[in-house]
Amino acid sequence: MLLGGLAALPLVGSQLLAAAAVPSKVSAARVWPANEYTRVTFEAPSGFKYQHFVVKDPERLVLDIENVELGDALKLLAAKVGADDPYIRAVRVGINRPNVVRVVLDLRTEVLPQVFAVPPVGEFGHRLMLDIYPAKPIDPMLALLNEDTAMFAASDKDANTPMTPLRQGGRLTETASAPSAPSADKPASVGLAKDAGKDVGKDSTRAPEAPTIVAGRKPPRPFTVMVDPGHGGEDPGAVGRKGTREKDIVLMISRLLKNKLDSDARFRIALTRDADYFVPLHHRVQRARRLKADLFISVHADAFIHPQANGSSVFALSERGATSTAAKWIANKENDADLIGGVNLSTRDSNLAQILLDLSTTAQINDSLKLGRYVLSELVEVNRLHKPQVEQAGFAVLKAPDIPSILIETAFISNPDEERKLRDATYQDKMADAIADGVRTYFKKNPALARA
């Protein structure tokens, strides 16, 4: 199959890397669709030499890969694009000229592609990444950012409404007068319009505490928690003996945690990723800071070189080195996520990591340790602890300078017994409950630590 007719178009942003003189085969081709962006990955034993350009009307992305054969991995690529892919409509692959394979992506919308190669790491060989971003980026944080504005606007609208005393929770408060006075069997209530739901912590009969809205005054801001399911996409994280992937388990637990805290009107929860795709470590930190999060919780499932290692752990940032050899080893492994997941270094702010490190303060670390201790005291009810105290190391994902941040290793996925636990839905639910209870205790005992 020949794909021609586009060769005369100008190249845009092409990059050239050294490749073997003898044609090689692409050993794997993978597609990672997500609302934020779709990634297409090609893997080969040798480096890629490639060119790419965009064609308009209709929108297409054309990739020419030199010195490769049209093998099975490339031939099967089209079948890996789902009908629900948000950006790729179809894929065509064929020979454009001798030793040059042309890949044409028929697009659903105008895009801003990023095409880059990454060197071998871990079990991966050379990889060529196509990140298909929409020309008008989807902002997953925008809806949450707008919640405060809408809530405050509703409160300001009632600023001049007459006030009526109301006794709530043993104290006298004020609320806007209702059109008719409440009856004895139908008392008035105050709170956010959002359904408070049911507290799914240990005391399931306790109603959640909703912030009180007082007419003429902006309502208190809900506690904002950024939950970060580790790894994703190209980066599976640790893999257990039965093939259990860390990225799948932590996404399940993170979703459960979000649901449990979302049911409480005091909280609003955001996920750094809500599907199987990769988010660079510095993007995870940036999203928490942009949302002005009160807490950042990164969820993982540990692995170690010895399968006997077991237990749950909680980590905070350290500026003085790791508190143990194991903590340092785990931090280094987690910090390698960008290498495994594949990051386009040409678009990364090279100063970001140093800025975040320089701005990290003792106060942030102290608050992180407080949060970590509360969570650790709940985890012991679900699983044995690997260490009885919060450990510290230089985790890149914990370096938000103004947000208490912890990383939770829910269990050792490299331990056969704990891998079995992690695969169990009941264990996942108990783990999410424990983390949620630790978060509630943190804010109950340290209300001043929430942002104004």
Side-chain angles (χ1 to χ4, degrees), residues 25-49:
K25 284 188 177 181
V26 172
S27 56
R30 298 177 288 272
V31 181
W32 305 101
N35 288 332
E36 187 171 334
Y37 75 103
T38 290
R39 166 171 285 185
V40 181
T41 303
F42 302 94
E43 186 175 355
S46 57
F48 287 91
K49 183 178 181 181

Side-chain angles (χ1 to χ4, degrees), residues 318-380:
S318 172
E319 293 182 298
R320 304 175 183 174
T323 52
S324 70
T325 302
K328 181 178 181 180
W329 187 89
I330 292 170
N332 289 337
K333 177 178 66 69
E334 300 296 0
N335 291 345
D336 283 343
D338 277 354
L339 299 177
I340 298 171
V343 173
N344 186 2
L345 297 178
S346 67
T347 63
R348 181 172 177 175
D349 183 352
S350 60
N351 296 320
L352 176 67
Q354 188 60 43
I355 290 172
L356 292 180
L357 180 61
D358 291 344
L359 290 176
S360 293
T361 62
T362 302
Q364 186 263 27
I365 294 176
N366 286 341
D367 291 344
S368 301
L369 290 171
K370 286 182 182 179
L371 171 62
R373 285 191 285 269
Y374 294 136
V375 172
L376 206 61
S377 68
E378 300 291 343
L379 292 180
V380 72

Side-chain angles (χ1 to χ4, degrees), residues 57-361:
D57 301 322
E59 300 289 335
R60 286 157 288 168
L61 174 63
V62 181
L63 174 72
D64 286 342
I65 310 175
E66 301 184 25
N67 293 328
V68 296
E69 299 177 3
L70 184 57
D72 291 339
L74 289 171
K75 291 178 181 178
L76 296 174
L77 176 61
K80 296 182 179 181
V81 176
D84 57 347
D85 191 294
Y87 303 112
I88 303 175
R89 187 184 306 277
V91 174
R92 292 171 286 145
V93 182
I95 300 296
N96 176 254
R97 55 191 184 275
N99 291 339
V100 176
V101 170
R102 170 159 290 182
V103 180
V104 180
L105 278 63
D106 296 319
L107 305 171
R108 297 183 183 275
T109 184
E110 184 180 1
V111 303
L112 292 176
Q114 294 182 15
V115 184
F116 58 98
V118 295
V121 60
E123 297 180 358
F124 292 108
H126 292 268
R127 286 175 293 168
L128 177 62
M129 309 285 200
L130 278 70
D131 287 351
I132 314 300
Y133 288 92
K136 295 181 180 179
I138 293 176
D139 191 342
M141 300 294 105
L142 188 58
L144 284 172
L145 288 168
N146 285 338
E147 280 187 6
D148 286 342
T149 303
M151 184 169 60
F152 292 162
S155 177
D156 291 340
K157 183 178 180 181
D158 296 330
N160 298 320
T161 306
M163 309 298 288
T164 300
L166 172 68
R167 184 169 298 279
Q168 180 195 24
R171 67 183 189 278
L172 196 65
T173 63
E174 291 183 323
T175 184
S177 299
S180 59
S183 62
D185 59 348
K186 190 177 180 180
S189 61
V190 294
L192 293 174
K194 176 182 176 182
D195 181 14
K198 182 179 180 182
D199 191 334
V200 291
K202 292 179 179 178
D203 184 4
S204 60
T205 62
R206 175 171 56 87
E209 302 172 12
T212 301
I213 292 182
V214 179
R217 188 183 308 164
K218 289 184 178 181
R221 177 183 183 274
F223 300 131
T224 302
V225 181
M226 178 66 79
V227 178
D228 172 45
H231 310 282
E234 282 289 290
D235 176 18
V239 180
R241 287 185 177 182
K242 293 186 177 180
T244 311
R245 300 182 302 186
E246 179 182 4
K247 67 174 182 177
D248 299 328
I249 296 298
V250 300
L251 181 58
M252 294 177 189
I253 294 175
S254 296
R255 284 172 171 167
L256 288 169
L257 175 59
K258 181 181 188 301
N259 291 339
K260 292 175 186 299
L261 291 176
D262 265 343
S263 67
D264 190 326
R266 294 171 296 174
F267 296 95
R268 65 174 184 174
I269 314 301
L271 297 177
T272 56
R273 69 177 179 95
D274 58 2
D276 187 13
Y277 63 97
F278 181 72
V279 180
L281 297 178
H282 66 291
H283 283 180
R284 299 171 192 246
V285 178
Q286 285 175 333
R287 290 175 185 186
R289 299 196 70 216
R290 186 177 177 203
L291 197 59
K292 301 186 186 302
D294 298 294
L295 298 180
F296 180 91
I297 299 175
S298 193
V299 183
H300 293 257
D302 210 351
F304 199 62
I305 52 179
H306 302 302
Q308 295 83 7
N310 62 88
S312 302
S313 306
V314 177
F315 296 87
L317 180 65
S318 172
E319 293 182 298
R320 304 175 183 174
T323 52
S324 70
T325 302
K328 181 178 181 180
W329 187 89
I330 292 170
N332 289 337
K333 177 178 66 69
E334 300 296 0
N335 291 345
D336 283 343
D338 277 354
L339 299 177
I340 298 171
V343 173
N344 186 2
L345 297 178
S346 67
T347 63
R348 181 172 177 175
D349 183 352
S350 60
N351 296 320
L352 176 67
Q354 188 60 43
I355 290 172
L356 292 180
L357 180 61
D358 291 344
L359 290 176
S360 293
T361 62

